[in-house]
Amino acid sequence: MSTAAEIQSLLRFLTQDAKVPLPTAMGKVKELQKANLASPTAIEKSDVPGMLAIFPDEKLAKQVLNAAKRINKKRRSSDAPEVNAKRKRTVTADDVMSPAAIEESLELPEVTIDDEELALTVLHTNRAPLVLAFAVTLLKYTMPEQPLSSRLSLAQAVVSVNSRSKAVSLGIERGNSAEEEGWGQGQPKVRIMGRDIRVLKRWGYDWREGSKANQEAVAASQNAVKSEAAVKQEDLVESQNTIKCDQSQDLEAGTMQEEPEQIKSEPALWGLDLEALRSSNGPLSAGAQGRDTSNLPIYTAQSARSYLLKSFASGSTQAAGSESSPPKKKSFASAAAEKERNLGLLLHSLDLLYNSWAHVLSKDELDRRAWLWYVRVRPEVQNGVAGWGGRGQVKLSEILGLRTQG
């Protein structure tokens, strides 16, 4: 009996390589299996009469047979040089850095100023990086168990899915998405800002071990033990009463103490790049826990961070119609530093927004409203294709104005 992966592989061959319509391909899977023709290798060894028994249309039968021969010929030619040649392996940050070091390297700028000064800030950007900023900050509140690397990856996935949807609506792109064609089948998904995102579980990625926060917690625990050992005998009764009081409080706060353990059990996630998976003609499903998923394309945290850092220039605070001298040209380093600070200001304003609602709304409702808030403050661009990638102003005062007054 063929496995689900083999069936998916056969369907992919029929629809992608042999160009058989999906409904027809699905109807022929069982017949091909019964005839022991469930792979391009087996089909290549057949002949036209054998294929006509399954595909009565002679043109279609020859099409499938030729596709199998073409695919296998390509595989044989590509495999031949690899006998003596070493495959070059791409070295990523995960190969040479500990998880804690990776997370620290991805830290985003933090800028804290008073609300009045923050409200005067105007940024100049396009819509995609603003969606990215909204999403990556939102995930701190809706998926707090995820490390920064995962939040960046998932947020970039939201941007990609949203951009493709917009491109299709404008007629810039056509056809079904990779998700609609089933390239994400078998992978779990999460919902972020109203978008379903296919994910990969990063089993064994423990970013807490060796982190600064964890080291501080261990040091605090050790200090507490030393302090307890130093308690004098005459204070023993008082100490015991204190311990009983603490235990009573611990029982009352049992739910709060269980939450970190529950959070810790959740694996980190990557956002899966289905469009890249389709382009590479990769596997439809990565499988369950323990299977190798390192070759599946993901949205990298590093690229998402770089995109954020370079996307927020300073906007004009001049009133419409007023005259001002042309701005002086800044050096590359100066412009980069300014954009980094602007990103910090934007993230701070978004933090203030989400934090004001976090105790009022459920995580699902906060996720739903995040998109509505983005629409309220996104830069104005031209309608239609002319506005694709267009830039405009984002006023942080408008983001701050969305905070709850309660």
Side-chain angles (χ1 to χ4, degrees), residues 10 15 31 40 65 77 88 107 122 141 145 231-232 249 272 298 301 306 328 344 358 395:
L10 177 59
T15 57
E31 294 181 50
L65 184 60
S77 63
K88 185 177 181 180
E107 288 181 355
V122 179
Y141 297 88
E145 73 280 4
V231 175
K232 294 181 179 181
Q249 291 175 351
L272 178 59
I298 59 169
S306 297
K328 295 181 180 180
K395 298 178 180 179

Side-chain angles (χ1 to χ4, degrees), residues 167-293:
V168 170
S169 70
L170 294 176
I172 297 174
E173 291 190 23
R174 292 179 174 81
N176 292 331
S177 66
E179 172 67 43
E180 291 168 333
E181 291 184 359
W183 287 88
Q185 185 177 354
Q187 291 303 130
K189 59 184 177 181
V190 296
R191 193 163 183 82
I192 305 171
M193 292 182 74
R195 301 288 185 183
D196 287 330
I197 304 300
R198 294 286 179 176
V199 298
L200 292 177
K201 294 185 177 182
R202 302 163 65 185
W203 298 108
Y205 184 80
D206 186 1
W207 67 96
R208 297 176 183 86
E209 185 175 352
S211 66
K212 290 181 180 178
N214 191 61
Q215 290 173 352
E216 291 173 358
V218 171
S221 176
Q222 292 174 341
N223 291 335
V225 171
K226 291 178 181 178
S227 297
E228 184 177 354
V231 175
K232 294 181 179 181
Q233 184 65 32
E234 57 267 35
D235 295 330
L236 181 58
V237 175
E238 182 180 352
S239 177
Q240 289 175 336
N241 290 336
T242 301
I243 292 173
K244 290 179 181 179
C245 180
D246 289 344
Q247 289 175 338
S248 175
Q249 291 175 351
D250 288 345
L251 290 173
E252 293 177 0
T255 304
M256 295 178 62
Q257 290 184 342
E258 291 174 2
E259 186 177 355
E261 293 300 323
Q262 181 180 0
I263 288 176
K264 190 174 182 179
S265 67
E266 293 294 331
L269 303 173
W270 283 131
L272 178 59
D273 189 347
L274 294 182
E275 299 300 329
L277 182 62
R278 175 169 62 175
S279 298
S280 65
N281 204 32
L284 284 171
S285 175
Q289 178 178 357
R291 289 190 60 180
D292 182 21
T293 60

Side-chain angles (χ1 to χ4, degrees), residues 90-132:
T90 301
V91 179
T92 64
D94 292 35
D95 297 320
V96 295
M97 299 173 65
S98 69
I102 291 172
E103 298 305 321
E104 289 179 16
S105 72
L106 294 170
E107 288 181 355
L108 296 171
E110 296 182 2
V111 180
T112 304
I113 59 176
D114 61 70
D115 287 8
E116 291 184 3
E117 184 179 353
L118 191 62
L120 297 176
T121 303
V122 179
L123 307 180
H124 190 249
T125 187
N126 56 319
R127 291 180 172 182
L130 185 62
V131 174
L132 182 57

Side-chain angles (χ1 to χ4, degrees), residues 30-38 54:
K30 287 187 177 180
E31 294 181 50
L32 288 167
Q33 289 175 327
K34 289 180 181 179
N36 293 322
L37 298 173
I54 299 173

